[in-house]
Amino acid sequence: MSPSTTHHPLSTILVTGGAGYIGSHTVILLIEAGYDVVVFDNFCNSSRESIKRVEKIVGKPISVIEGDIRNRNDLRLAFNTYAVDTVIHFAGLKAVGESVEQPLRYYDNNVYGTVALCEVMQEAGCKSIIFSSSATVYGDPATTPITEDFPTSATNPYGRSKLFIEEILRDLYISDHDWKVVLLRYFNPVGAHPSGTIGEDPNGIPNNLMPFITQTAVGKLSCLSVFGDDYDTHDGTGVRDYIHVMDLAAGHVKALEKLPLFHEVMTINLGTGTGYSVLDMVKAFEKASGKEVPYCIAPRRAGDIAKCYADPSYAKKVLDWKASKDIEEMCEDSWRWQSNNPNGYTA
Ligand code: NAD
Ligand code: UDP
C-alpha cells in the first residue's frame, strides 16, 4: 500500500503492537480479509523478524511505523501518512510480576500511552478503537463461567492498567458518541500460526504456562514447576480457559466487521468456555508433541486464582464468533513453532 492512497474497498487499520504475539497473528487475518494494515510498534517486546515472517505468510510487504504510543509525533506521522479508519490497540506491557516492581512504567506505557493514542486519534478524526483487555479484570471470580457483567477488580498494576483504560475509553464514549469502542477481554492465548513460522517469543524465562511447557520440551528448561496442587479444581491444579491465538485473531476481524453496528461501548469475552488444569495441559502437550514434560509440584504462585474460564455466549451473539480450535491443535501448533524455532526469532 502506498502512503495516503487506499486502493482497497475495505478500510485501513492501524495495529499498535502489531509485531507482538497476538498482533502479528491478527495482522495475517486482517490482510487475508482484505484490509490495508499499518503496524505501529516500538519493538520493546518484539522483533522486526516477526513482521518479515508475516510478510512471507501473506505474500506482500507490510507498512510499518517504528514508534511509541506515548510519543504524539510518532502517532501523528502514522495518521498523517495513512488514512486510518480504525485502531486495533495491542501495544502494552504485560508481565504481571514486572508490573508490581515497576508500577510507574506500566501506568506510563499502558495508561498514558493509550491516552496519547486517543488524543491523536481524536485530532485525526479517527474514532474507532478495539482494545486488548484481559480476563484478569475479573480478579478472583465468585463463580465460573464468567460473564461480562461480573464485578471487576485488580490485584496488580498490570490488571489495574487494563481496568483504568477500559474506564477511560468508556468516558471517551460518554463525551462523544461518535466513538466506537470495543473492549475485548482475552482469556489465555496459546498456540501459533499453523505454518510454525510465527509464535510467542517471550524474553528470558517465560512467566506463562504454555511457553514454559514448550521450552521444557525442547530442552531449554529442565523442569516445569506446577504452582499448587491444592486448589479446589478437579485435580488440584489451576484451571484456565486456553484459547488458540488464531481464534483470538479471528475475533478481532469479527469485531472490526461489526463495529459500525455498535451504538454503545461493547465489552466482550474472548474465550472458549472450557477450562483446563495445568496437568491437563501437560498431558495434552505430551500427547501432541510426543515429548515428555518433566514437572514437579511447587507452592502456589502469589496472586493466582483457582479457576478462570469464560462464558463466551455474548461473543457468539454480538460478533457471531466462536472459538473453533481445540486443545490438541493449540498444543500441536505451539510445538511446531517452538520446535522449528528453539530460540524464537533470534537466529
Ligand atoms: P506482546 O508483548 O507480544 O505484544 C505487545 C506489542 O506492543 C509488542 O510488539 C511491543 O513491542 C509493543 N509495545 C509495547 N509498548 C509499546 C509502546 N509504548 N509503543 C509501541 N509499541 C509498544 O504481547 P501480546 O501477548 O501480543 O499482547 C497484546 C495485548 O494483549 C497486550 O495489551 C496485552 O496486555 C493483552 N493481553 C495479552 C494476554 C496474553 O496472555 N498474551 C492476555 C490478555 C491480554
Ligand atoms: N503455571 C504453572 N507453572 C508455570 C506457569 C504457570 O503452574 O510455570 C500455572 C499458573 O499457576 C496458572 C496457569 O498455569 O494456574 C496459567 O498461568 P499463566 O501465567 O500462563 O496465565 P494466568 O492465567 O496466570 O494469566
Side-chain angles (χ1 to χ4, degrees), residues 1-8 12 36-38 60-64 78 80-84:
M1 192 185 70
S2 57
S4 292
T5 54
T6 309
H7 301 293
H8 202 278
T12 299
D36 283 334
V37 170
V38 180
K60 59 184 205 181
I62 290 169
S63 308
V64 179
N80 291 339
T81 311
Y82 300 98
V84 177

Side-chain angles (χ1 to χ4, degrees), residues 188 207-209 212 224-227 238 240 242 278 301 304:
N188 291 54
N207 295 309
N208 294 113
L209 179 64
F212 206 106
L224 168 73
S225 297
V226 175
F227 298 142
R240 296 290 182 274
Y242 297 94
V278 177
R301 181 171 67 178
D304 272 0

Side-chain angles (χ1 to χ4, degrees), residues 7-286:
H7 301 293
H8 202 278
L10 289 177
S11 42
T12 299
I13 314 302
L14 185 76
V15 183
T16 74
Y21 172 44
I22 306 170
S24 57
H25 289 81
T26 304
V27 165
I28 293 171
L29 292 193
L30 289 171
I31 291 173
E32 287 175 358
Y35 293 95
D36 283 334
V37 170
V38 180
V39 168
F40 185 96
D41 203 301
N42 67 356
F43 300 101
C44 70
N45 196 38
S46 54
S47 72
R48 285 197 174 261
E49 182 60 24
S50 72
I51 302 282
K52 279 194 197 142
R53 297 196 185 180
V54 169
E55 287 176 331
K56 259 200 188 139
I57 292 169
V58 299
K60 59 184 205 181
I62 290 169
S63 308
V64 179
I65 292 185
E66 180 165 355
D68 192 306
I69 53 167
R70 293 166 297 178
N71 183 324
R72 287 174 174 73
N73 288 334
D74 290 353
L75 290 165
R76 285 185 188 116
L77 176 67
F79 287 93
N80 291 339
T81 311
Y82 300 98
V84 177
D85 303 273
T86 302
V87 174
I88 303 185
H89 178 31
F90 293 105
L93 301 174
K94 62 165 183 177
V96 171
E98 192 180 67
S99 80
V100 175
E101 282 152 26
Q102 305 173 31
L104 299 179
R105 183 169 161 235
Y106 271 68
Y107 291 128
D108 177 49
N109 197 83
N110 295 3
V111 181
Y112 173 74
T114 302
V115 171
L117 171 66
C118 291
E119 273 180 6
V120 175
M121 287 175 70
Q122 202 160 35
E123 246 174 60
C126 170
K127 296 184 181 178
S128 299
I129 185 165
I130 297 173
F131 172 63
S132 303
S133 189
S134 166
T136 193
V137 302
Y138 295 114
D140 191 353
T143 56
T144 41
I146 300 170
T147 51
E148 288 81 355
D149 56 1
F150 271 36
T152 55
S153 67
T155 52
N156 57 70
Y158 167 70
R160 227 168 334 266
S161 78
K162 293 293 177 194
L163 274 180
F164 290 159
I165 296 166
E166 285 198 358
E167 291 302 318
I168 289 167
L169 293 174
R170 287 195 187 97
D171 284 341
L172 194 54
Y173 175 77
I174 291 169
S175 76
D176 176 355
H177 281 21
D178 287 345
W179 277 88
K180 301 273 181 199
V181 176
V182 179
L183 310 172
L184 297 178
R185 292 177 173 165
Y186 312 156
F187 283 68
N188 291 54
V190 295
H193 188 265
S195 65
T197 60
I198 64 164
E200 188 172 12
D201 182 19
N203 277 327
I205 297 178
N207 295 309
N208 294 113
L209 179 64
M210 184 57 100
F212 206 106
I213 288 179
T214 60
Q215 291 196 15
T216 306
V218 87
K220 287 182 77 179
L221 301 169
S222 58
C223 176
L224 168 73
S225 297
V226 175
F227 298 142
D229 67 347
D230 56 354
Y231 285 107
D232 183 17
T233 62
H234 62 273
D235 61 14
T237 66
V239 165
R240 296 290 182 274
D241 186 338
Y242 297 94
I243 174 167
H244 198 295
V245 66
M246 294 303 293
D247 275 332
L248 200 60
H252 291 74
V253 178
K254 285 288 191 180
L256 201 51
E257 279 171 16
K258 304 284 181 192
L259 202 64
L261 307 174
F262 295 148
H263 297 290
E264 57 184 321
V265 173
M266 301 298 285
T267 307
I268 307 169
N269 285 341
L270 293 184
T272 66
T274 305
Y276 289 107
S277 73
V278 177
L279 293 181
D280 290 337
M281 292 306 282
V282 169
K283 276 179 221 136
F285 181 83
E286 288 182 334

